[in-house]
């Protein structure tokens, strides 16, 4: 046993040494990161669609060039504050996601999954936002080329029957009337292809009035409604705001707001089982037992310390008079 332990320690030291970036490699990654920072800022704050899309194209190209480099997984890209970068709990991959807007009718998410390799030759997989082409996005199982786009802010890892499942917490500004929060279960098939959604991943079988199970979970609510979807480590449970319609029209999602109650999901036998009421008391504003999820309009942190700008809408031009500048319109995503 002592020999085995020594061998494992030596192997770990060798792998760690092999993965360490040289000063020359570090310099190259930092140069690319500086360019990514500039274009990432313009993706979010560009004054017109042409600037935002051109910046997105440049950003994507530079990021790809960085990710194909050996040992790129070892570079943290910590100074990129306008995109999300989250790691799986087992450190086997990380996901970069961001969004680009054109106008009130178009908002799309972009992203890459980067897989870690012990030899330093990491593989990356693009994510193609196809939400506008998916008829029923809560009941699909699809690969990375048919991705229901979201900006991810957390990853949970669970296991069932020997397979790992990664629950992704995502944010989508959607349109001028509603915001979306997603829970999507990602797994890798036998060919190593990332798959999104599993049949009946979110079950309502224990509810007093059971509803059909879903392949992924969607919480859609009134714009700036500040509904939360987060994970409580002490309870080992996903917790989210219970929504009610402020106009008594629950079918209109743009009227839905939190009412102080909380629902949840508990991982049970390979499913997230719905818990209708997590707490037996209502909480006043500011007394939430869970942290806020990402909110692009309130400078909250997302994922690995990411701070998003005060708004993801393009920055308005400076006014030519002393009158206050009008707020830019909220960007909209079609097909969601």
């Amino acid at each position: 046993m002592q020999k085995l332990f020594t061998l494992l320690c030596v192997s770990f030291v060798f792998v760690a040494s092999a993965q360490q970036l040289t000063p020359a490699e570090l310099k190259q990654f930092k140069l690319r990161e500086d360019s990514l920072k500039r274009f990432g800022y313009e993706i979010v704050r560009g004054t017109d669609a042409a600037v935002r899309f051109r910046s997105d194209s440049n950003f994507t190209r530079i990021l790809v060039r960085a990710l194909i480099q050996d040992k790129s997984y070892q570079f943290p890209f910590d100074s990129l504050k306008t995109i999300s970068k989250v790691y799986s709990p087992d450190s086997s991959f990380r996901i970069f996601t961001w969004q680009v807007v054109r106008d009130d009718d178009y908002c799309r998410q972009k992203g890459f999954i980067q897989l870690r390799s012990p030899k330093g030759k990491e593989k990356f997989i693009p994510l193609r936002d196809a939400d506008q082409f998916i008829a029923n996005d809560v009941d699909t199982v699809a690969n990375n080329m048919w991705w229901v786009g979201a900006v991810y802010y957390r990853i949970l890892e669970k296991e069932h029957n020997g397979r790992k499942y990664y629950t992704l917490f995502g944010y989508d500004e959607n349109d001028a009337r509603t915001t979306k929060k997603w829970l999507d279960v990602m797994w890798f098939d036998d060919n190593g292809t990332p798959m999104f959604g599993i049949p009946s991943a979110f079950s309502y079988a224990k509810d007093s009035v059971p509803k059909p199970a879903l392949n992924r979970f969607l919480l859609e609510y009134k714009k700036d409604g500040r509904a939360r979807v987060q994970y409580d480590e002490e309870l080992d449970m996903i917790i989210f705001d219970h929504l009610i319609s402020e106009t008594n029209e629950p079918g209109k999602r743009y009227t839905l707001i939190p009412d102080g109650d909380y629902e949840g999901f508990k991982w049970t036998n390979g499913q997230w089982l719905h818990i209708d009421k997590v707490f037996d008391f209502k909480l006043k504003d500011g007394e939430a037992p869970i942290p806020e999820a990402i909110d692009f309009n309130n400078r909250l942190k997302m994922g690995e310390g990411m701070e998003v700008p005060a708004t993801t809408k393009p920055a308005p031009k400076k006014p030519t008079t002393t009158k206050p500048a009008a707020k830019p319109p909220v960007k909209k995503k079609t097909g969601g």
Side-chain angles (χ1 to χ4, degrees):
M1 288 297 293
Q2 181 65 32
K3 289 182 178 180
L4 178 59
F5 177 78
T6 302
L7 179 61
L8 289 174
C9 289
V10 171
S11 299
F12 175 80
V13 171
F14 175 78
V15 171
S17 176
Q19 295 294 313
Q20 187 173 358
L21 294 171
T22 66
E25 291 169 333
L26 190 61
K27 180 179 179 180
Q28 288 299 316
F29 281 121
K30 286 184 176 180
L31 288 173
R32 287 200 168 101
E33 185 179 38
D34 288 341
S35 297
L36 289 170
K37 285 168 58 178
R38 177 164 56 89
F39 289 120
Y41 180 85
E42 290 299 331
I43 290 173
V44 173
R45 305 292 291 178
T47 55
D48 57 65
V51 171
R52 295 191 294 275
F53 275 86
R54 185 165 57 249
S55 297
D56 174 65
S57 178
N58 289 328
F59 181 92
T60 303
R61 184 166 57 252
I62 295 170
L63 182 60
V64 167
R65 288 174 179 171
L67 296 182
I68 63 176
Q69 296 298 309
D70 292 350
K71 298 189 286 186
S72 59
Y73 197 94
Q74 304 305 313
F75 190 78
F77 294 98
D78 281 341
S79 67
L80 297 183
K81 303 299 184 181
T82 55
I83 72 166
S84 168
K85 179 188 84 271
V86 289
Y87 288 81
S88 64
D90 60 6
S91 297
S92 62
F93 66 89
R94 61 183 177 181
I95 305 182
F96 297 86
T97 48
W98 66 96
Q99 66 180 10
V100 57
V101 298
R102 182 189 66 193
D103 52 34
D104 287 349
D105 297 318
Y106 189 97
C107 172
R108 283 290 172 267
Q109 283 75 41
K110 309 285 286 293
F112 290 96
I113 301 173
Q114 185 182 27
L115 305 176
R116 184 174 192 171
S117 168
K119 296 182 179 180
K121 296 184 179 295
E122 286 81 19
K123 175 183 178 182
F124 73 94
I125 302 170
L127 298 174
R128 174 179 173 267
D129 185 354
D131 191 27
Q132 61 179 325
F133 306 113
I134 300 174
N136 191 355
D137 44 19
V138 296
D139 283 327
T140 61
V141 176
N143 61 23
N144 57 296
M145 300 307 290
W146 287 89
W147 174 52
V148 176
V151 178
Y152 295 129
Y153 57 92
R154 184 158 193 168
I155 303 177
L156 294 182
E157 178 186 339
K158 298 293 182 180
E159 189 169 337
H160 181 66
N161 290 338
R163 186 186 293 274
K164 290 184 177 181
Y165 295 97
Y166 302 93
T167 301
L168 311 177
F169 292 64
Y171 177 93
D172 180 354
E173 277 195 284
N174 195 39
D175 59 30
R177 307 182 84 179
T178 68
T179 296
K180 292 180 177 181
K181 297 280 175 64
W182 287 102
L183 292 172
D184 207 349
V185 179
M186 189 188 81
W187 50 283
F188 293 92
D189 67 13
D190 294 338
N191 296 319
T193 301
M195 304 296 295
F196 295 86
I198 57 175
S200 302
F202 297 89
S203 172
Y204 295 84
K206 297 298 184 179
D207 284 16
S208 57
V209 181
K211 298 184 295 185
L214 303 173
N215 293 358
R216 64 177 51 82
F217 173 73
L218 168 64
L219 191 74
E220 186 174 0
Y221 53 93
K222 181 180 178 179
K223 199 71 180 177
D224 299 327
R226 299 177 65 87
R228 288 153 288 205
V229 180
Q230 268 292 358
Y231 173 67
D232 187 294
E233 295 185 0
E234 292 186 3
L235 297 175
D236 188 22
M237 184 185 300
I238 295 172
I239 299 179
F240 60 95
D241 281 292
H242 177 263
L243 304 178
I244 60 170
S245 173
E246 59 185 352
T247 60
N248 200 29
E249 299 173 283
K252 297 179 180 180
R253 293 181 176 179
Y254 58 85
T255 71
L256 299 181
I257 58 174
D259 71 344
D261 275 338
Y262 292 89
E263 302 175 56
F265 286 108
K266 187 81 172 178
W267 184 258
T268 308
N269 296 323
Q271 288 181 309
W272 285 108
L273 184 63
H274 182 245
I275 308 299
D276 187 56
K277 194 177 182 66
V278 176
F279 304 103
D280 293 327
F281 58 91
K282 287 190 176 183
L283 298 168
K284 298 178 181 179
D285 290 342
E287 295 182 343
I290 54 177
E292 291 273 1
I294 126 181
D295 186 333
F296 281 103
N297 295 315
N298 290 279
R299 289 185 177 273
L300 298 179
K301 291 186 177 180
M302 177 173 65
E304 297 284 320
M306 171 186 169
E307 293 185 3
V308 293
T311 174
T312 56
K313 298 181 284 291
K317 295 181 179 179
K318 293 183 178 180
T320 55
T321 69
T322 56
K323 295 181 179 179
K327 292 184 178 180
V330 178
K331 301 304 168 188
K332 180 180 180 182
K333 175 176 178 177
T334 58

